[in-house]
Amino acid sequence: MIANIAIVFGAVTLALVLHALFMALGRRIAGRTPDSVDDAALALSARPSRWIAVAVALAISRRFLILPDWLDDLWQLAAGFIVPGLIGWLIITVVQVYIRAIELRYDIAVEDNLRARRRRTRAAILGRIVIIGVSIVTVALMLLSIPSIRSVGITLMASAGLAGLAVGAAAQPALKNLIAGVQLAFTEPIRIDDVLIIEGEWGKVEEIRLTYVVVALWDERRLIVPVSRFLEMPFQNWTRNTSKLLGSAFFWLDPTADVPRLRGKFEEIVRANPRWDGRAYVLQVTDTKPEAIEVRVLATAKDAPTAFDLRCDIREAMLAFIRDEMPEALPKRRLLYADQVSGGRRDDSRA
């Protein structure tokens, strides 16, 4: 017993020392590189690699131990539980390192972030799929190491078809959204940080899960939408290819309004506004009615929030100009008297 304890203690101590040396060497090498991905990889893999080193040391030291039969069976049972768990932990850590590397390498805070949003969305969805799959396989391997559970599993294989149909029918909504999440990762109708109009609400895609999407609305609420909703129902994506937008504002004015003068003032307002991105602007009469005309102004901005503020600025400035310098352009209601209709002839008996 003393010899066995000494062998196990020595093997574990040697494994921990070697692990510490390798981690110190890795930190020194990572410290010389400007990229922070290797630093994140070391930080995330430190714990699983330490326990894997201990497990390998115990597996090697087993050959030098003299154990009774019951303790040998317990050792094998523990190995059947621990080894698959450690391997699954390591694979999950590698996936998390990959996701973290994508987040560090592709920053969505920059102005032109289309490629970054595409990479981060795909990495987040596929990473979660791999983590769930590895977790299921790991738990299955751990349970199969128990002989009684293994025999029961073989017995239940005959009825697995009917059980699968029953479970599939009961979990149809969850499976539907899960499959839609996989499809979402490759077709990319939405990405992280996309600006959407969905269910009549304006918001940004904050988080994409396997079965649902979190949309951060403009007033700091959160809209939870099933993933299948984005594959079955129409919605607006304002940043599908680019974040640049064309903002519009409408004015109802008198038909006698001096449109060229309004156009000149509009040009002056737009060019002086720092929110305008310099691409385009236009003022047009888009509709006419007996009592008023519809004047539409368009101006471009770099993204949706800026376009919204630009539209508000244009409305305020144009209304102030019309109120102060062109009050005759405001809509008026005209009344036509009977004598005007008859060409100026008045009936003296009715006058």
Side-chain angles (χ1 to χ4, degrees), residues 180-343:
V182 177
Q183 186 177 354
L184 190 71
F186 292 98
T187 58
E188 295 183 349
I190 60 171
R191 307 181 187 94
I192 293 176
D193 207 45
D194 267 345
V195 176
L196 307 179
I197 299 293
I198 185 168
E199 301 293 338
E201 300 282 0
W202 183 96
K204 285 187 176 183
V205 178
E206 183 179 55
E207 190 176 0
I208 299 179
R209 294 285 183 174
L210 285 181
T211 57
Y212 65 90
V213 175
V214 180
V215 180
L217 302 182
W218 65 275
D219 54 359
E220 298 185 357
R221 290 177 295 155
R222 297 298 184 269
L223 183 65
I224 309 300
V225 185
V227 172
S228 59
R229 167 70 170 75
F230 295 96
L231 301 177
E232 298 175 352
M233 302 294 291
F235 63 93
Q236 297 183 37
N237 189 337
W238 288 10
T239 54
R240 182 70 177 89
N241 297 317
T242 179
S243 61
K244 297 177 180 179
L245 286 178
L246 184 66
S248 62
F250 295 87
F251 301 91
W252 287 100
L253 303 177
D254 191 82
T256 62
D258 188 354
V259 177
R261 184 182 176 189
L262 287 173
R263 186 174 289 113
K265 183 61 178 180
F266 169 69
E267 178 181 356
E268 177 185 341
I269 293 172
V270 172
R271 289 186 176 277
N273 196 304
R275 295 187 173 97
W276 180 57
D277 62 1
R279 288 188 296 135
Y281 64 90
V282 66
L283 183 147
Q284 295 173 314
V285 178
T286 55
D287 194 8
T288 59
K289 292 185 177 181
E291 298 178 355
I293 60 174
E294 182 187 66
V295 177
R296 183 183 68 180
V297 295
L298 301 177
T300 57
K302 63 179 182 179
D303 52 34
T306 306
F308 180 83
D309 294 336
L310 177 62
R311 292 163 58 195
C312 295
D313 293 344
I314 291 174
R315 289 192 192 97
E316 293 178 8
M318 291 293 292
L319 289 175
F321 171 74
I322 294 172
R323 180 196 64 213
D324 297 337
E325 302 186 28
M326 289 185 62
E328 68 277 5
L330 295 175
K332 303 178 183 66
R333 184 177 297 273
R334 292 173 173 80
L335 299 177
L336 193 63
Y337 293 98
D339 60 340
Q340 295 175 320
V341 175
S342 60

Side-chain angles (χ1 to χ4, degrees), residues 4-19:
N4 290 339
I5 294 175
I7 292 173
V8 171
F9 181 78
V12 172
T13 302
L14 181 61
L16 293 176
V17 171
L18 291 176
H19 176 268

Side-chain angles (χ1 to χ4, degrees), residues 104-153:
L104 293 175
R105 186 164 296 174
Y106 296 97
D107 186 12
I108 61 175
V110 298
E111 182 174 354
D112 187 10
N113 59 358
L114 179 61
R115 183 182 178 187
R117 291 188 289 111
R118 177 183 293 119
R119 293 295 182 87
R120 291 185 65 165
T121 300
R122 184 169 296 180
I125 296 177
L126 295 181
R128 292 190 180 100
I129 293 174
V130 172
I131 289 174
I132 291 177
V134 171
S135 301
I136 294 174
V137 172
T138 300
V139 173
L141 292 176
M142 293 172 66
L143 293 177
L144 288 177
S145 64
I146 303 176
S148 58
I149 294 181
R150 188 189 304 119
S151 60
V152 172

